[in-house]
Amino acid sequence: MPFSISLTVNGQPNSIALDDPRVTLLDLLRERLHLTGTKKGCDRGQCGACTVLLDGRRINACLTLAASLDGSTVTTIEGLADGAELHAVQAAFIACDGLQCGYCTPGQIMSAVGLLSEGHAGDDPERVRELMSGNICRCGAYQGITQAVLEAGHVLSQKTGVPDTGVQENGRNAA
Amino acid sequence: MSPEKQPATSRYGSNAGQPLTRRDGILKVTGRATYAADNHPEGLLYAVMAVSRIARGRVRSMNVDAAKAHSGVVEVLTPANRPPLFHDPHEKMPPFGFRVEVLQDDSVRYGNQPIALVIAETLEAATEGAALLDPQYDTEPARVGREAGIRFDPPAVSIGGPPKTAHGDVEAGFSNAAITVEAEVETPPQYHNAMEPHAVVAEWDGNRVVLDMPNQALALSCASYAAFFGIPVDNVTIRSPFLGGGFGSKAILNGPQILAILAARMLNRPVKLALTRAQMYGPVGHRGQTWQKIRIGMESDGTLTALHHRSLSATSAFDDFLEPAANASLPLYASPAILVEHEGIRLDTGTPGPMRAPGEASGSAALEVAIDEAAQACGMDPLAFRLKNYAETEPATGKPFSSKALRTCYEEGATRFGWSRRPRAAGQMRDENGLLVGWGMGTAVFGCPHFPAEARATLRADGTALVETGAADMGQGAWTALAQIAAEALGLDPDQVEFHSGLSTLPDAGIAGGSGHTASAGLALNQAGGDAIAQLSDLAVNDPASRLFGAGNIGLTARNGRLYRRDDESRSESYAEILARSGRSDVVGTAKSNRDPTVATDHALYSHGAVFAEVKIDPDLGQIRTTRLVGAFAAGRIINPRLVQSQYFGGMIWGISFALHEEAITDKRTGRIMNADLAEYHVPVNADVPPLEAILVPEDDAIVNPIGVKGVGEIGITGTVGAIANAVWHATGSRIRKFPIRIEDVLSAR
């Protein structure tokens, strides 16, 4: 029986008709909204490629049923840049070569944005490595990823005094 | 920074050699890089594969009616209704063809073999439909492990390689040896596990088909698909702009993709199939298990007298890819006698295939452990031992190396690591927390294959260029490095070069594998660019109105979008001026390139390196951490040091993974892999990886190919595995010869 949910995706409010209660947030984004930046690596919450921000918190989109998200706000990789301006984390990933094949990259970046906004990492590489360990990179770009998270954290905290990632707890873009 | 324009790093001199950031960086960090499964053509259907839950036997029945009755399910493909193919799936298609499982019968030959394909209007319906099939089996006992397998003498290893190579008289060498050591080393089945599961979106238009799929060998794959579907090769188009990792698994044609393409033709609608993570442990290749024996004979001063390396390499019950592990002993250490031999063993497993450093990784792991044991046996420092047996020519053939800066790699790596402070004996070091500390090393080596490749370079009226070749970027940075090579050949800035790639209708860039892609496609680009510049030069020197008129014998140089007289640089013209005056809208340079075959017959062609590892081990818990890893590599001319460093890091992390993490574990009762997922099949996560250093040792090679480029993608694994295993010995005094080295191995060896 079709039903609808209201879901704000990257700042855009949507009323989404769901014909199937089995649809995960990941498959909703990829196969129905065609927001394919969020990747499916395992569909079991084991690799982190599908990491998005749900109401500002990092989640695995593959483990989340879309039907349970009525009234929620989702930020995906497509919603991170401010128009033509890359988010500091995105820019740092390029500068530090924190990517190779690029498939895990959207998930890595969303995790990084999440952990920086939570203020967990500080400037300690060991903590960054630990906190980024829910995101597997098979190419082995970890050194660049760690460096990128540290550099982006530095850039963000210089801007505002705190590492404001532009995504607040309610998930709305601060800009 | 604008997503549309990414400033290149400041650079000096030529375009090649500069650490530019990735040209595809913006696309990849914004989620706009499209991978195969990101495509949604109009009218798309979703396919989900059902796979066998037994490893040997036959499918007795499936509840196709239940699946078909499920809302949204359109069709169920089984051996009963699978349309015919035009190529026998049991016939291997040369040169890289493997036997494939495409529902040709009801037999099951390994766990996770495709047994049906369910096609539905939604992914959810197809998934449920596949679950409803509830297959029943006639099960036969699975052949798992060395004791149960069927041994055979293989006619070839890897792709057509000789199973046995002999140089000198090894028995005489062992008779003359003062000291002999033997090591038996076991390596497990490993699965590529690219982050992007194998996927295809197939759309037919009459007897033409367009395939979105990650692919490391576009032209070869087009020919294979054309044969399977009985259509001309030009009717197959493959779009593969980005691969979410390949590691060898996306160069080989597999059954699942063929089934999805077949379903699309049968139903006359586009079909998308993406394998589940679990389904990647079966039909899409893996690194086969090996059991290796190495025997090393030497004089009392450590000089090698004989080296004998045997590998028992596992393959499937029905096909023949064998890990050429023993060949790792051919190119590295000087010995008057070397014998390498392979034996095959058939197990009920999917067919193995090439996986990042196929043969080299497993073989190097064993060899470097054995060499360490040999050094220990004659009381020598492992580095001194390796230098004692340094090969000035290729040991097995006597050929000169085209270049070999391995000595510098040893020196620079050792200095950076602090190797000279290493105590000779094991179990001597502890850190401030009481952890056991060990230091180990290994030598890295990897060959330089070269594939035929083609390219086209078009100089346009505005002075910019369009460069085209069907190369594959699977993370190594082909978009960037190849564009740099093209820009250099054209005398342009990379920002002035529009680079088209990843499409089978473009000139064939050969295979992205064997660490040979940059050299192979790069040579084609270099020559196509040269051809375009030569044509442009002809226009200028033959044009009386040109400032370069008559300079044909003097010659011109191309730089910064201008041609200059070689003898008088005050006389020059821009490309745009020359084209405008000649009334041409462009000049098109083309190239079909290959390496002169005599280069490889007359020379030994290898990249080299040295890897130094530190591990720390908890003496009570046995937990092993790699805490430091320094690699120094010499690989000819480096096109982009930033990306090459990332390739070395990636390889070294694969080395950590091989040494300490990865292993597919097969249930002996069922033949099924018990850890076919990313939670239990361990690959390193960020916290498993210590700070890494990769030193890029300069190396000029005027012989290996005209652009002097060697490979960097796979060498990082070799050397690293052995370095870590040897560091574990140095920390504990225990030689653990079975990979991956586990906590229980360390604890039980005490």
Side-chain angles (χ1 to χ4, degrees), chain B residues 289-580:
Chain B
Q289 193 166 8
T290 71
W291 295 267
Q292 301 174 55
K293 280 188 187 174
I294 298 185
R295 199 169 163 221
I296 297 174
M298 62 210 130
E299 297 170 18
S300 49
D301 69 351
T303 304
L304 294 184
T305 60
L307 173 56
H308 185 190
H309 192 161
R310 283 183 288 163
S311 177
L312 175 63
S313 299
T315 189
S316 66
F318 55 94
D319 211 341
D320 300 319
F321 187 92
L322 281 95
E323 194 76 358
N327 290 350
S329 283
L330 293 173
L332 204 43
Y333 297 109
S335 171
I338 300 177
L339 175 62
V340 306
E341 298 176 286
H342 296 86
E343 185 185 0
I345 179 168
R346 297 198 181 283
L347 304 173
D348 292 317
T349 170
T351 303
M355 175 165 152
R356 201 172 190 178
E360 291 90 351
S362 310
S364 161
L367 175 63
E368 291 304 316
V369 167
I371 287 288
D372 214 62
E373 296 192 40
Q376 182 195 346
C378 55
M380 287 177 74
D381 171 80
L383 176 53
F385 184 85
R386 284 169 171 86
L387 287 168
K388 179 93 188 169
N389 293 292
Y390 192 90
E392 302 293 351
T393 57
E394 187 179 36
T397 65
K399 289 183 201 174
F401 291 100
S402 64
S403 59
K404 181 177 178 181
L406 177 57
R407 267 206 183 82
T408 316
C409 296
Y410 284 141
E411 283 165 18
E412 295 203 8
T415 302
R416 185 71 198 157
F417 187 83
W419 183 258
S420 63
R421 299 196 308 275
R422 176 183 179 273
R424 183 82 40 88
Q428 302 298 303
M429 298 193 292
R430 294 222 177 200
D431 78 354
E432 64 279 11
N433 298 316
L435 299 178
L436 308 173
V437 178
W439 290 0
M441 70 165 296
T443 308
V445 64
F446 201 88
C448 306
H450 200 102
F451 305 108
E454 302 172 15
R456 184 162 56 229
T458 305
L459 280 171
R460 302 184 287 208
D462 63 357
T464 66
L466 169 66
V467 173
E468 299 165 294
T469 190
D473 199 324
M474 46 193 174
Q476 81 280 42
W479 270 39
T480 314
L482 292 179
Q484 285 179 259
I485 291 173
E488 180 179 71
L490 290 164
L492 290 171
D493 188 282
D495 293 342
Q496 295 170 292
V497 173
E498 186 180 339
F499 181 65
H500 289 189
S501 189
L503 181 65
S504 67
T505 53
L506 299 175
D508 172 19
I511 300 162
S515 295
H517 201 39
T518 307
S520 304
L523 180 59
L525 289 164
N526 172 272
Q527 294 182 349
D531 184 36
I533 292 296
Q535 292 180 43
L536 191 72
S537 301
D538 279 349
L539 292 178
V541 299
N542 294 320
D543 180 355
S546 169
R547 269 162 298 188
L548 303 170
F549 177 65
N553 291 332
I554 305 291
L556 306 177
T557 52
R559 197 173 68 244
N560 296 330
R562 299 182 76 82
L563 294 181
Y564 295 84
R565 260 183 85 108
R566 244 185 239 286
D567 62 338
D568 179 5
E569 294 234 333
S570 71
R571 292 164 72 180
S572 72
E573 268 189 335
S574 74
Y575 301 169
E577 285 175 274
I578 297 166
L579 283 170

Side-chain angles (χ1 to χ4, degrees), chain A residues 19-20 22-24 27-28 30-32 34 36-44 46-47 49 77-78 80-81 83-86 89-91 93-97 99-106 108-109 126 128-130 132-146, chain B residues 1-3 6 21-22 25-26 28-31 33 35 37-38 40 44 46 70-71 122-125 128 191-197 243-245 247 272 277 355-356 474-475 642-643 646-647 649-651 653-654 657 662 677-679 681 683-687 689-693:
Chain A
D19 57 0
D20 195 325
R22 296 168 298 194
V23 178
T24 63
D27 290 329
L28 174 74
R30 289 184 51 79
E31 306 300 339
R32 291 164 188 251
H34 295 183
T36 54
T38 307
K39 300 301 184 214
K40 183 182 283 188
C42 71
D43 218 18
R44 294 288 183 276
Q46 297 167 343
C47 78
I77 189 73
E78 289 93 343
L80 214 52
E85 196 71 25
L86 288 183
V89 174
Q90 293 173 311
F93 265 69
I94 294 174
C96 301
D97 211 35
L99 64 142
Q100 292 188 24
C101 82
Y103 196 82
C104 74
T105 308
Q108 301 277 359
I109 289 175
E126 273 308 311
V128 171
R129 286 191 193 106
E130 195 65 39
M132 290 298 291
S133 283
N135 292 80
I136 295 174
C137 169
R138 182 59 156 162
C139 296
Y142 292 128
Q143 184 129 322
I145 290 168
T146 302
Chain B
M1 200 187 300
S2 148
Q6 184 178 316
T21 54
R22 287 172 196 270
I26 298 271
K28 285 179 174 174
V29 302
T30 55
Y35 301 80
D38 296 344
H40 296 90
L44 181 66
Y46 292 84
H70 186 70
S71 172
T122 65
L123 178 59
E124 292 75 21
E128 185 100 24
Y191 284 75
H192 303 76
N193 274 303
M195 292 312 296
E196 175 200 28
L243 294 86
F247 313 120
K272 180 193 292 191
R277 178 58 54 184
M355 175 165 152
R356 201 172 190 178
M474 46 193 174
R642 178 193 303 262
L643 307 191
S646 289
Q647 283 293 287
F649 286 167
I653 290 172
W654 274 57
S657 196
E662 290 192 47
D677 61 72
L678 287 173
Y681 182 96
V683 298
V685 297
N686 203 322
V689 175
L692 307 170
E693 284 188 63

Side-chain angles (χ1 to χ4, degrees), chain B residues 154-364:
Chain B
V157 295
S158 185
I159 311 276
K164 178 177 174 179
T165 304
H167 157 70
D169 183 344
V170 280
E171 282 319 313
F174 285 118
S175 307
N176 297 336
I179 305 167
T180 301
V181 297
E182 273 191 48
E184 289 195 32
V185 176
E186 185 177 343
T187 68
Q190 299 175 346
Y191 284 75
H192 303 76
N193 274 303
M195 292 312 296
E196 175 200 28
H198 287 62
V200 59
V201 177
E203 184 169 18
W204 287 87
D205 177 8
N207 71 344
R208 306 184 73 87
V209 67
V210 176
L211 306 174
D212 291 300
M213 63 167 16
N215 194 294
Q216 293 177 240
L218 290 169
L220 271 180
S221 298
C222 283
S224 302
Y225 287 121
F228 268 103
F229 291 98
I231 57 177
V233 64
D234 288 346
N235 286 16
V236 182
T237 302
I238 300 178
R239 298 187 292 211
S240 181
F242 301 103
L243 294 86
F247 313 120
S249 73
K250 290 166 180 168
I252 304 287
L253 209 68
N254 305 119
Q257 293 97 322
I258 294 172
L259 290 175
I261 300 165
L262 196 56
R265 184 183 228 185
M266 181 182 179
L267 299 168
N268 199 27
R269 282 175 66 179
V271 167
K272 180 193 292 191
L273 171 68
L275 267 57
T276 66
R277 178 58 54 184
Q279 290 172 349
M280 291 177 69
Y281 293 75
V284 292
H286 69 281
R287 192 196 301 282
Q289 193 166 8
T290 71
W291 295 267
Q292 301 174 55
K293 280 188 187 174
I294 298 185
R295 199 169 163 221
I296 297 174
M298 62 210 130
E299 297 170 18
S300 49
D301 69 351
T303 304
L304 294 184
T305 60
L307 173 56
H308 185 190
H309 192 161
R310 283 183 288 163
S311 177
L312 175 63
S313 299
T315 189
S316 66
F318 55 94
D319 211 341
D320 300 319
F321 187 92
L322 281 95
E323 194 76 358
N327 290 350
S329 283
L330 293 173
L332 204 43
Y333 297 109
S335 171
I338 300 177
L339 175 62
V340 306
E341 298 176 286
H342 296 86
E343 185 185 0
I345 179 168
R346 297 198 181 283
L347 304 173
D348 292 317
T349 170
T351 303
M355 175 165 152
R356 201 172 190 178
E360 291 90 351
S362 310
S364 161

Side-chain angles (χ1 to χ4, degrees), chain B residues 627-697:
Chain B
T627 47
R628 230 156 36 95
L629 209 48
V630 175
F633 302 95
R637 182 175 176 222
I638 298 305
I639 301 300
N640 185 319
R642 178 193 303 262
L643 307 191
V644 165
Q645 177 181 268
S646 289
Q647 283 293 287
Y648 290 149
F649 286 167
M652 290 159 75
I653 290 172
W654 274 57
I656 296 174
S657 196
F658 194 123
L660 301 177
H661 297 274
E662 290 192 47
E663 176 178 21
I665 302 166
T666 309
D667 185 336
K668 290 204 170 184
R669 298 163 302 175
T670 64
R672 293 178 65 194
I673 294 170
M674 296 190 287
N675 57 340
D677 61 72
L678 287 173
E680 295 187 77
Y681 182 96
H682 292 169
V683 298
V685 297
N686 203 322
D688 291 317
V689 175
L692 307 170
E693 284 188 63
I695 300 164
L696 277 55
V697 172

Side-chain angles (χ1 to χ4, degrees), chain B residues 13-234:
Chain B
S14 75
N15 291 310
Q18 301 303 323
L20 306 189
T21 54
R22 287 172 196 270
R23 279 166 79 92
D24 46 357
I26 298 271
L27 292 175
K28 285 179 174 174
V29 302
T30 55
R32 303 204 319 255
T34 50
Y35 301 80
D38 296 344
N39 290 285
H40 296 90
E42 194 70 28
L44 181 66
L45 291 170
Y46 292 84
V48 168
M49 215 161 59
V51 295
S52 67
R53 290 179 172 276
I54 64 167
R56 188 167 163 231
R58 57 179 284 273
V59 180
R60 192 170 61 235
S61 66
M62 280 186 284
N63 196 345
V64 173
D65 290 342
K68 277 190 157 176
H70 186 70
S71 172
V73 172
V74 172
E75 185 56 271
V76 178
L77 215 54
T78 71
N81 68 340
R82 194 268 269 159
L85 288 164
F86 291 77
H87 177 82
D88 180 352
H90 292 295
E91 285 291 319
K92 287 152 81 97
M93 205 177 309
F96 290 99
F98 281 59
R99 299 192 173 103
V100 292
E101 299 75 51
V102 283
L103 307 179
Q104 55 264 47
D105 53 42
D106 61 7
S107 68
V108 173
R109 301 185 281 185
Y110 59 92
N112 281 346
Q113 178 189 309
I115 56 171
L117 191 75
V118 178
I119 305 104
E121 297 288 347
T122 65
L123 178 59
E124 292 75 21
T127 304
E128 185 100 24
L132 289 166
L133 285 171
D134 189 25
Q136 304 298 310
Y137 304 96
D138 292 331
T139 308
E140 291 177 57
R143 291 162 296 199
V144 177
R146 182 158 47 164
E147 288 68 36
I150 301 163
R151 299 214 187 183
F152 68 107
D153 284 324
V157 295
S158 185
I159 311 276
K164 178 177 174 179
T165 304
H167 157 70
D169 183 344
V170 280
E171 282 319 313
F174 285 118
S175 307
N176 297 336
I179 305 167
T180 301
V181 297
E182 273 191 48
E184 289 195 32
V185 176
E186 185 177 343
T187 68
Q190 299 175 346
Y191 284 75
H192 303 76
N193 274 303
M195 292 312 296
E196 175 200 28
H198 287 62
V200 59
V201 177
E203 184 169 18
W204 287 87
D205 177 8
N207 71 344
R208 306 184 73 87
V209 67
V210 176
L211 306 174
D212 291 300
M213 63 167 16
N215 194 294
Q216 293 177 240
L218 290 169
L220 271 180
S221 298
C222 283
S224 302
Y225 287 121
F228 268 103
F229 291 98
I231 57 177
V233 64
D234 288 346

